Amino acid sequence: MEERDKARGAKERAEIFAEQCAALEAQGFEPRDRSMSMSAANICGTLAALPFIAAVIAAFVFGGAPVRTAVSPAADIAVFAAAAAASLVVHECLHALFWAAGSGGAVRLGFDRRTFTPYCAALKPMGKARYLIGIIAPFVFLGGGFSVAACLTGLWMLCAAGAANVMMAGADILVAARIVFSRGKYFVDHPSRCGFIVYARPERSE
């Protein structure tokens, strides 16, 4: 039953995506595919996150308060593990929150049983700024928030949580870079790949 519900949800997202693309193309917009496979996004996203993780650790070690534990090493590890697990859900909720504000609530949250991770999908085209804000929100609020808190308090578990959340946002960093360097009016979140289709008016030849 659950597998049928999951397949039905994926099919529905694909149908909505196809309808949106067809409607935009009927209005004269040209599509440009800016998506990548999930496996490529995981590998490249990890590489993209590494410089930011290094910056988080360097700021914590050299520019923050003296490094310390909150209670004990074992307790701190337990708190870190709980924070990292909760961040998986909060990460997707932040995508949903900001995309919902930009698309009139047309988002879907779910859980992928193949990877045991939650996901968020935007179901309507958005402008560049709104789509970008929704993509980068977890990196800023979770990765940045934990990292700043770590520098202020010197708690190593907060630094670890910040680094973990930056790693979780690796694919988002890649997509954000593609958004910044893409020209177009509408950005449509891809239902099964990492990234989007951008729609722009065709360039006029002289």
Side-chain angles (χ1 to χ4, degrees):
M1 184 68 173
E2 292 177 351
E3 290 298 324
R4 287 199 299 270
D5 290 342
K6 178 182 174 182
R8 189 182 303 114
K11 181 180 179 181
E12 182 181 354
R13 293 196 306 274
E15 290 174 349
I16 293 172
F17 173 78
E19 290 173 0
Q20 292 170 350
C21 292
L24 290 171
E25 290 176 26
Q27 296 175 41
F29 291 96
E30 290 184 347
R32 299 188 183 96
D33 192 338
R34 295 292 184 267
S35 67
M36 68 188 89
S37 69
M38 291 299 183
S39 58
N42 288 334
I43 295 171
C44 297
T46 299
L47 296 175
L50 290 178
F52 294 95
I53 292 173
V56 167
I57 295 173
F60 176 69
V61 172
F62 299 109
V67 179
R68 64 188 181 91
T69 59
V71 181
S72 68
D76 284 4
I77 290 172
V79 172
F80 161 72
S87 292
L88 288 171
V89 177
V90 177
H91 180 113
E92 300 304 328
C93 288
L94 284 170
H95 283 316
L97 176 65
F98 284 90
W99 277 342
S103 63
V107 297
R108 175 163 296 167
L109 284 166
F111 187 82
D112 191 332
R113 293 184 177 275
R114 294 171 301 176
T115 59
F116 293 97
T117 56
Y119 69 85
C120 176
L123 302 179
K124 282 188 177 181
M126 282 177 277
K128 184 174 186 174
R130 288 179 175 177
Y131 188 60
L132 176 60
I133 290 170
I135 281 287
I136 210 68
F139 172 79
V140 173
F141 288 97
L142 291 176
F146 275 118
S147 299
V148 170
C151 290
L152 294 176
T153 63
L155 293 174
W156 71 265
M157 67 177 179
L158 293 179
C159 178
N165 274 282
V166 170
M167 180 65 74
M168 291 178 199
D172 295 338
I173 295 169
L174 285 179
V175 175
R178 291 191 171 196
I179 295 171
V180 169
F181 291 103
S182 294
R183 296 176 61 186
K185 185 172 182 180
Y186 294 108
F187 290 72
V188 183
D189 198 39
H190 203 286
S192 60
R193 290 166 60 85
C194 180
F196 56 93
I197 308 294
V198 58
Y199 282 86
R201 291 290 186 186
E203 296 181 0
R204 297 180 179 178
S205 58
E206 297 295 333

